[in-house]
Each structure stands twice: as C-alpha cells, then as structure tokens.
Amino acid sequence: MIKNFYIYVSASFDPYLNLAKEKLLFDRCGHGDMILYLWQNEKTVVIGKNQNPLAECNLHAMKKDGIRLARRLSGGGAVYHDSGNLNFTFISADAPDACERNTDIICRACEMLGIPSVRSGRNDITVQDKKFSGNAFYHSEGKFCHHGTILIQSDFEALEKYLTPSKLKLSAKGVKSVRSRVINLASLSPELTPEKMSELIIKATELTLGQKPEKIPKLDRKSIEIVASEYSSDEYLYGKTAPYTLEFYERFSWGEVSVRLNIESGRIAHAALYTDAMDEALSVKFEKLLCGTKFEKKFVEEALLTEIEPHFAKDLADMMFREI
C-alpha cells in the first residue's frame, strides 16, 4: 500500500546527473513510499547495465556529433534520448503488481489524450502496433525501480544513426529498421509536448493512487556530483576488456546474448556476458559462476544452475556447446 506519494522533476538535461538523481531517490525511498521521477536527457544514447557499447552504438558517429553515452542500472536494450523524449521513473516497494500498476498509469495518461495504448511484449508500450515507450526495471533491498522512455517529438533520424542494433534483433521483430517500429505521440496529438505529458502522468498517478503528491526534500548536490562522476567514467561506461578465445552469439525469446570466454588449461579463466535481457543481475552472476569452471557442458550447466533460472542456464549452456 502506498502511504506517501512524492514527485521529483529534474531541471537538468545531463544524463549523468539525472541517472545519479535516480539512484539517490531509489536509496531514499522508504517503506510505503512511491516516488515519481520525471526527467529528460539531451542527445544521449543510454545502454542497459549488461550491454556492450561497441555492439550497440555507432560510437564513431556519436563522438563526431557530440552525443553522450550513458549506462543505466537496469537491464534491457539501448535507447536514444533527446529533448523530444520524456523519461519517467517509478520507485516503490517491490510488489507483484507494481509493474502493471505503473504501466497502467502511462496508458491512462495516453487515454487522456484520446490515444489508446497497450503493453506489448516484455517491456514495450505501443499504439497502432508501434512502440512509443520502452521500459526497464531493477530490484534491490525490497525496492523496485521501473523506468522508461516516452517518444513525443524525438528525432528518428538521429535515433537510427546512433543506435546499431543487430540484424538478428530487427529480423526477429519482422521489420527492416529502428525507425519503422517506433512512433512519436505528437504525430497523433500535435499539440503534445514533454511538459504536457509530464502533467498528464502526474494526474494519472494521482487518480490511480487516490492521493495528491508531495515534493520530495532536496537532494544533496555534492552526493549527486559524486555519483554522476562515477557514471560518466570510462570504466563504468565501457568496462574492462578481458582477453577471450571463444565468442558465442544468439537471440533467445528472453533476450539477445553475446558470450566471450578465455579458456586456459581447459578451464574458464575469464567470462563476459552482454545482453539486453531484463534481468540486470544476469551478467554478474554468469561471470562469477563460470570463472574457474572446467569447460565441459556438464560442469558449465551445473555452475549456472546454482544461481541462474533453469531455462536461462540451459539456453546458455546449449549455446556454448552446440557446435563444439
């Protein structure tokens, strides 16, 4: 049950400051609280926690054009943010119905515009079978963070230029380009702006919860800058590149996966997993469980099954040994 409803609207367009604010709001959220955080980034590609930016972004074009790279704490795929895109974050206690409730709020805001929308697939909200909102999630310490994008007046030429999803991903969706499967809400409601959409989301949340919001106490500027500094570092954005001798790649119903292994004396010395799967902890578990494991299917699958969901573990083991 939500006892206290808070709103925080960021005035910054800096992705590192905005993601730092989200992290601090998550840490601050107490039992019985819900925090609605609304924010925008200027010209930024945001990748999921477990993605490899070399495979997801056109880094050369981004550097040339001054487009920033950011990495969020949730799983899922890469997205392009600009001033025509509104980002929302719901933070609350982890509950079975939290995701559905939050998605219904976004759909309710769209209904106020006369736009019928539906939840589609594992993490999208669509209208006319086209995506205008991609969502991602993470859980920690009994709390749930659900955040997503809303395309309102976004630059689709830029989106297509800077995002480089695999041909496998687009093929699985039966389309030829990124642009062909997304839609700006302003194309259906010409007067719509990010500011107006923010107002509608706040109103829809009030109606859903049956209560008026409070403004959350001011965040500490120094704390924001410390977290933002970490989030903008090359180590955080690009990670450490370990040597590898084997590489595997496949798309499953639950996500696209790239695995890199370095094998020494028949054992896995280094393991890396890049994925757009929604489980933000999957890569860390995979790397931890396989390091030092004998490179045989039986031992790899047994190691993965200790902490990873059975169907994920089986798919990963099958992928690595299918052609060996």
Side-chain angles (χ1 to χ4, degrees), residues 30-44:
H31 182 71
D33 293 348
M34 174 190 268
I35 299 174
L36 170 60
Y37 173 43
L38 297 167
W39 47 292
Q40 291 180 274
N41 291 332
E42 182 60 69
K43 295 183 178 180
T44 304

Side-chain angles (χ1 to χ4, degrees), residues 91-207:
I91 304 169
S92 64
D94 199 352
D97 65 341
C99 182
E100 183 177 357
R101 176 199 62 211
N102 300 339
T103 303
D104 286 347
I105 288 171
I106 301 302
C107 291
R108 190 170 192 170
C110 291
E111 286 173 8
M112 294 175 184
L113 294 165
I115 298 175
S117 57
V118 295
R119 185 177 180 184
S120 174
R122 60 185 184 141
N123 64 327
D124 296 342
I125 307 176
T126 63
V127 58
Q128 298 178 353
D129 293 324
K130 290 192 174 185
K131 171 181 173 178
F132 70 87
S133 178
N135 294 205
F137 325 92
Y138 65 89
H139 312 252
S140 180
E141 299 176 352
K143 291 183 282 188
F144 178 57
C145 178
H146 172 181
H147 49 199
T149 60
I150 298 179
L151 298 174
I152 298 170
Q153 301 167 331
S154 197
D155 182 350
F156 287 170
E157 289 187 4
L159 181 150
E160 194 162 35
K161 180 178 182 181
Y162 303 121
L163 296 184
T164 54
S166 73
K167 292 180 181 178
L168 248 180
K169 182 182 293 186
L170 291 175
S171 175
K173 293 180 179 288
V175 293
K176 295 181 179 179
S177 69
V178 175
R179 198 190 308 188
S180 68
R181 50 182 277 256
V182 294
I183 188 171
N184 272 321
L185 290 184
S187 69
L188 304 175
S189 180
E191 302 302 316
L192 184 63
T193 63
E195 293 75 20
K196 177 63 177 177
M197 193 67 199
S198 292
E199 294 172 5
L200 292 173
I201 292 173
I202 292 171
K203 185 175 180 181
T205 309
E206 291 176 357
L207 291 171

